[in-house]
Amino acid sequence: EEGFHISKACLEPSQNGKVCSVYLEQDNEEFILCTLSPKNLDESLDLNFTATEKICFRVEVSIRWY
């Protein structure tokens, strides 16, 4: 069975001050992978999965309030 690799998480530059946290859900557990912001638009990852693994990615967005 072929697996797959995820090497990077990126934030679109036009998100205007938004901070995004990227989560991985696997086997009823949740892991934060990275936090992206206008000062940190991308984060290198080194994640490998098999074709049979059930995973879910979730993004939580925080907006700066003034």
Side-chain angles (χ1 to χ4, degrees):
E1 292 180 15
E2 230 177 274
F4 61 98
H5 178 254
I6 296 176
S7 60
K8 190 168 286 277
C10 300
L11 178 66
E12 185 177 331
S14 65
Q15 292 301 310
N16 296 330
K18 294 179 183 175
V19 175
C20 299
S21 296
V22 181
Y23 295 85
L24 167 69
E25 296 176 13
Q26 181 181 30
D27 298 328
N28 295 321
E29 292 190 62
E30 184 175 83
F31 307 93
I32 187 164
L33 298 179
C34 61
T35 300
L36 303 172
S37 68
K39 293 182 180 180
N40 181 37
L41 293 174
D42 61 71
E43 189 68 42
S44 295
L45 302 172
D46 187 17
L47 304 173
N48 294 290
F49 302 96
T50 64
T52 58
E53 284 183 279
K54 293 182 181 182
I55 60 170
C56 178
F57 292 96
R58 180 173 66 85
V59 176
E60 189 174 289
V61 179
S62 300
I63 301 171
R64 292 184 187 170
W65 294 92
Y66 297 97

